[in-house]
Amino acid sequence: MTDIQDLTKLEAEFMTAIADAVEEASLEAVRVAALGKKGRVSEMMKSLGGMSADERQTAGPALNSLKNRLTEALAARKAVLAETALEVRLATEKVDVTLPVRESATEAGRIHPLSQVLDEIIAIFADMGFAYEQGPDIESDHYNFTALNFPESHPAREMHDTFYFEPKADGSRLLLRTHTSPVQVRTMEKGKPPFRFICPGRTYRSDSDQTHTPQFHQIEGLVIDETTHMGHLKWVLEEFLAAFFEVEGVELRMRPSFFPFTEPSMEVDVRCARLGNEIRIGEGDDWLEILGCGMVHPNVLKAVGLDPEIYQGFAFGIGLDRIAMLKYGIPDLRAFFESDLRWLRHYGFSALDVPTLAGGLSS
Ligand code: 2NL
């Protein structure tokens, strides 16, 4: 019944079908038609039982080897198809990294101007080798005042309109830090000179009007080494202000001032031009007060265990909110803290626009 010629013809038929299959599904259909439960080869194998012993002796091995060859051919073709499918995907599914970002991705949220300005400042100082230090918002009297050379019951303490917590059993009171200087004290205590770092962060004073909010932001910087002097201070400030305001250079004016933690102490003005509401930094005939600074007071060095006969250095403090307003023309300080999304959409920055000195601070 099954002669060898029939088998040869059948094999040729299936082999052609296997070679012609261009996708896994059609190859699978060929497999089912040949070797599936009701496939042609399977049906023929079932019929072996009804054959004479002689017939079975030739048909059995012939069918078996046909089955093996088909199985092998199916597997080989399957591997080729899988390989081709992968190659097609690799060739067509290219990721074009130069495509513009989808609108929905850029508008997912905005970076608050204060965060933007903070990132800009960190990038500028990092370039000059300054580390970035942080500390707690809730402080002790020691770190906020005493270690910074504020005498006990001195009017300088009232200058700061401090928010105090309820007194503890021993009479001491925790407080919300009035400046970021305690971070500098803590950083000096736990490390060894030379020091070169900035510490930006939230600060608190009981003060509220057009230009003051009870919570605001400061950034302070500190450099301590054996020969650090006021020339270094002036250079660092000039570099910082020119980079921050994205101008070629700035001219500074230093006026004597007073802070308990520096001696001498100075207010720094930067040359500017006022054109109506606009302020241009680095040109013109006007001056704009921009920050306070000085040489670290010997008593502050002593308070953190440094010998003022060996070590000296400078410190400065800048109001982050104010310079953010200046740089980006934001008229009202209080808007920073109101979380008005319309305001944030107008004054905020793209999350994808990360400030770097190489890539541009606010491109
Ligand atoms: C300002 C003035 C200033 C400092 C902050 C400082 C910190 C230590 C020692 C000495 Cl640990 N000084 N900080 C120095 C001078 C001025 O801030 O007007 N800030 C808004």
Side-chain angles (χ1 to χ4, degrees):
M1 195 199 130
T2 20
D3 69 30
I4 297 298
Q5 257 189 334
D6 282 349
L7 278 191
T8 312
K9 209 173 137 228
L10 192 65
E11 177 167 359
E13 229 173 77
F14 279 128
M15 286 301 184
T16 309
I18 289 170
D20 286 350
V22 289
E23 55 190 18
E24 274 199 55
S26 47
L27 187 66
E28 175 63 7
V30 179
R31 190 193 65 79
V32 172
L35 308 174
K37 249 192 190 150
K38 295 202 166 131
R40 298 275 294 280
V41 179
S42 311
E43 292 290 351
M44 286 164 120
M45 285 181 129
K46 277 183 216 158
S47 70
L48 285 173
M51 290 180 191
S52 68
D54 268 2
E55 276 178 326
R56 202 163 35 235
Q57 201 135 50
T58 44
L63 276 173
N64 249 332
S65 66
L66 171 62
K67 183 184 166 191
N68 289 341
R69 284 195 298 279
L70 288 178
T71 305
E72 224 170 85
L74 282 163
R77 182 70 186 151
K78 192 171 176 173
V80 169
L81 288 182
E83 178 79 8
T84 317
L86 181 64
E87 264 162 31
V88 168
R89 277 191 66 193
L90 287 174
T92 54
E93 292 183 17
K94 269 191 201 135
V95 177
D96 184 351
V97 293
T98 67
L99 281 177
V101 176
R102 268 179 291 117
E103 191 87 334
S104 58
T106 54
E107 294 311 314
R110 304 298 281 175
I111 299 295
H112 194 286
L114 284 175
S115 303
Q116 170 77 17
V117 161
L118 178 56
D119 288 346
E120 292 176 16
I121 293 175
I122 291 170
I124 296 167
F125 279 104
D127 195 59
M128 291 192 273
F130 283 68
Y132 171 22
E133 299 289 348
Q134 285 176 285
D137 288 21
I138 297 174
E139 269 297 0
S140 66
D141 190 80
H142 173 79
Y143 283 110
N144 197 77
F145 291 124
T146 312
L148 287 153
N149 195 38
F150 284 77
E152 296 291 341
S153 59
H154 187 276
R157 288 194 190 225
E158 264 102 82
M159 255 166 63
H160 278 202
D161 301 309
T162 314
F163 285 115
Y164 284 102
F165 288 82
E166 290 295 327
K168 293 197 272 194
D170 65 3
S172 68
R173 292 182 295 177
L174 290 175
L175 51 86
L176 290 175
R177 68 181 182 196
T178 58
H179 46 187
T180 50
S181 315
V183 184
Q184 291 166 294
V185 173
R186 288 175 180 280
T187 306
M188 284 193 281
E189 267 183 0
K190 67 174 199 256
K192 276 208 301 260
F195 293 110
R196 198 194 288 147
F197 61 85
I198 55 168
C199 44
R202 293 193 188 91
T203 44
Y204 308 82
R205 290 183 200 176
S206 176
D207 209 346
S208 191
D209 59 39
Q210 280 249 230
T211 54
H212 296 88
T213 46
Q215 190 255 296
F216 57 105
H217 300 84
Q218 249 193 356
I219 150 151
E220 283 186 73
L222 181 85
V223 174
I224 302 283
D225 206 339
E226 293 183 24
T227 57
T228 305
H229 57 68
M230 277 184 35
H232 298 137
L233 168 61
K234 184 158 179 272
W235 181 85
V236 164
L237 294 178
E238 281 168 353
E239 284 293 304
F240 162 65
L241 291 169
F244 180 75
F245 288 109
E246 301 182 57
V247 293
E248 284 297 311
V250 292
E251 197 186 328
L252 302 185
R253 184 174 77 173
M254 292 175 146
R255 288 176 287 109
S257 182
F258 173 81
F259 305 110
F261 32 77
T262 44
E263 184 59 38
S265 304
M266 288 152 284
E267 308 275 2
V268 177
D269 303 335
V270 63
R271 184 181 283 283
C272 73
R274 286 171 215 264
L275 309 132
N277 274 338
E278 193 195 345
I279 296 181
R280 290 219 194 122
I281 307 291
E283 55 185 274
D285 302 313
D286 232 331
W287 296 97
L288 178 73
E289 187 179 327
I290 200 94
L291 59 91
C293 62
M295 296 305 289
V296 176
H297 198 288
N299 288 348
V300 176
L301 295 172
K302 281 187 217 157
V304 296
L306 293 177
D307 183 351
E309 294 298 324
I310 299 173
Y311 293 108
Q312 58 182 43
F314 62 80
F316 55 87
I318 310 169
L320 197 71
D321 315 272
R322 203 170 102 81
I323 61 166
M325 291 167 74
L326 276 172
K327 179 165 179 178
Y328 292 112
I330 299 168
D332 189 349
L333 170 71
R334 290 171 293 192
F336 276 136
F337 307 100
E338 279 170 358
S339 305
D340 184 330
L341 282 179
R342 294 163 303 177
W343 181 88
L344 192 57
R345 270 182 218 116
H346 181 82
Y347 286 107
F349 292 82
S350 163
L352 299 165
D353 182 14
V354 179
T356 64
L357 281 185
L361 291 178
S362 58
S363 52

